[in-house]
Amino acid sequence: MKLAAHELHDLNELTMSCVNSITNMAYMLQHVQDPELKAILERHFPLHIRDYNMKVEFLNQATGAHKELPLLKENTTLEDLTSSNLSMYPPVQPRTVVENFNDREMVTAYLLTLKRAGREYAWSEMEMANPEIRSFCQIAFMMSCSHAYDVWQYMAKKGYYHWSRQIQR
Amino acid sequence: MTLKIGAMYQVVPEDIPQFQQYMSQHENPTAGESDQLYQ
């Protein structure tokens, strides 16, 4: 596919980011302890592979990507979206000597990756001239949003993520 | 330049049994197909 210089630059950055995300997820799948978190990762993982493969096709195929990503919707699992029902959050402190990550560290890394990737897709989408790549970035942004919402809700339920209490009226 | 960068990245096979198992065990909530955009 014929790409403008800035499209090639952005695709390269996004593809390298995908290599990093997929490798990290593969590690997490082998190390997470909580079955609920493992199920989230297993559900997301094949779509990250598809997302990566589409970028490789855009870079390598003259006719662009032939695979598709589904349009994901936000799936709400928390009962109360305005405040936590936990009386306190489990404390956290950055570890300075690490042999293996724990679940909280892995899920935090994954959420931050999804949020960063989503912003980068949105930013890149606005700059793309090719309509197919614009569309791809738009759908990948929606996937990042949906996956980040899954992970945020998991973290909120566990008390790993603070969010504001409802304002009393 | 595109070919040089593209050649650096290798496709991941999607027909690996582990992926098929993940897909069959867990369903991602979908709002539609992506080809519905830009019609």
Side-chain angles (χ1 to χ4, degrees), chain B residues 7-37:
Chain B
M8 187 167 72
Y9 298 109
Q10 305 297 306
V11 166
V12 178
E14 294 185 31
D15 57 356
I16 295 172
Q18 191 69 57
F19 295 166
Q20 306 298 328
Q21 187 186 332
Y22 291 161
M23 293 292 268
S24 63
Q25 282 178 345
H26 312 286
E27 191 176 350
N28 284 284
T30 56
E33 296 300 319
S34 54
D35 60 4
Q36 290 171 357
L37 286 179

Side-chain angles (χ1 to χ4, degrees), chain A residues 44-156:
Chain A
H44 293 184
F45 195 51
L47 294 182
H48 286 268
I49 302 286
R50 169 63 56 88
D51 170 83
Y52 166 80
N53 282 342
M54 287 180 70
K55 290 195 196 81
V56 177
E57 285 189 339
F58 277 123
L59 286 167
N60 285 314
Q61 307 277 346
T63 52
H66 299 105
K67 295 179 165 63
E68 293 270 347
L69 274 176
L71 292 175
L72 299 183
K73 64 180 178 185
E74 311 286 88
N75 189 32
T76 306
T77 54
L78 281 180
E79 288 181 12
D80 185 349
L81 293 168
T82 58
S83 65
S84 170
N85 56 11
L86 297 174
S87 56
M88 63 181 296
Y89 298 113
V92 69
Q93 181 184 40
R95 291 193 293 157
T96 54
V97 179
V98 178
E99 193 167 320
N100 282 309
F101 291 108
N102 60 37
D103 278 10
R104 185 175 188 172
E105 289 162 341
M106 284 187 270
V107 76
T108 301
Y110 183 42
L111 177 67
L112 296 179
T113 292
L114 289 167
K115 289 167 72 168
R116 177 194 48 75
R119 291 187 189 104
E120 287 176 3
Y121 281 125
W123 187 267
S124 297
E125 195 266 347
M126 290 294 182
E127 305 300 328
M128 294 296 180
N130 184 300
E132 285 182 41
I133 304 179
R134 280 186 80 95
S135 174
F136 166 76
C137 287
Q138 197 173 353
I139 295 158
F141 163 73
M142 291 163 73
M143 183 182 90
S144 299
C145 290
S146 172
H147 284 176
Y149 193 47
D150 289 340
V151 176
W152 170 73
Q153 289 181 95
Y154 170 85
M155 291 183 72

